[in-house]
Amino acid sequence: SRLTGAGPGSVGWQAPEVMASRWSPETTSVKSGDSHSRNGQDSLFDGSPLDITVNSRPSRSVDIFSLGCIFHCMLVPGVHPFGEWFEREANIMRNKQSTNELREASLAAHDLVLSMISRDPSRRPTAKGVCEHPFFWNSQKKLAFL
């Protein structure tokens, strides 16, 4: 069997490293510069480099990723940053998000959500970093910053 376990989170809301860990090493290995899988289809790992460490424990950054998706759906009601339910996992793996509506609504919210759904787990903010983001600043703090 190629599946090694579902990992934390719900389908369509999981961080790319959680989804990638479900597959055995032979199905996740993609040669540098090779843009197609063995059957000629685009690889799900083509979006950008993804450090896949099978059997590693997920970090809290996987929760930040999911929370970023939830924030997006709350700020742009009902719109997932990675599309409709049937395309989400592929779009997450390909790093193909659509956040234009959020950017038009709020640049601060857009900046926050983009950082939270970053493909690179090390670039996602901590929970404290999320809470301290300018999106959550009151008017007084925003004015003091300027």
Side-chain angles (χ1 to χ4, degrees), residues 13-17 59-75 80-82 92 95 97 99 102 108-136:
W13 301 86
Q14 292 177 321
E17 64 272 20
S59 70
R60 290 187 177 131
S61 66
V62 301
D63 296 326
I64 297 296
F65 180 91
S66 299
L67 185 60
C69 293
I70 293 167
F71 275 8
H72 188 281
C73 287
M74 290 174 50
L75 296 166
H80 193 287
F82 292 96
I92 290 169
N95 199 28
Q97 75 270 89
T99 58
L102 182 59
H110 184 256
D111 179 69
L112 174 61
V113 169
L114 273 185
S115 69
M116 294 173 76
I117 63 172
S118 173
R119 183 164 179 85
D120 181 351
S122 68
R123 296 181 59 90
R124 294 180 202 141
T126 61
K128 183 179 180 189
V130 169
C131 293
E132 293 174 348
H133 190 275
F135 176 71
F136 294 111

Side-chain angles (χ1 to χ4, degrees), residues 8-71:
S10 300
V11 172
W13 301 86
Q14 292 177 321
E17 64 272 20
V18 172
M19 288 189 284
S21 71
R22 286 190 266 167
W23 300 94
S24 64
E26 62 270 8
T27 62
T28 57
S29 61
V30 175
K31 294 178 187 170
S32 180
D34 184 7
S35 64
H36 297 283
S37 64
R38 292 179 197 174
N39 63 8
Q41 298 294 318
D42 288 337
S43 168
L44 290 181
F45 301 99
D46 288 345
S48 65
L50 181 62
D51 183 20
I52 302 164
T53 308
V54 178
N55 297 326
S56 66
R57 290 187 63 204
S59 70
R60 290 187 177 131
S61 66
V62 301
D63 296 326
I64 297 296
F65 180 91
S66 299
L67 185 60
C69 293
I70 293 167
F71 275 8

Side-chain angles (χ1 to χ4, degrees), residues 79-109:
V79 178
H80 193 287
F82 292 96
E84 296 298 323
W85 66 270
F86 55 86
E87 62 189 356
R88 286 180 190 154
E89 286 203 328
N91 285 343
I92 290 169
M93 293 307 296
R94 290 186 177 111
N95 199 28
K96 184 179 175 186
Q97 75 270 89
S98 177
T99 58
N100 293 334
E101 288 182 69
L102 182 59
R103 182 176 53 234
E104 291 172 12
S106 167
L107 290 175

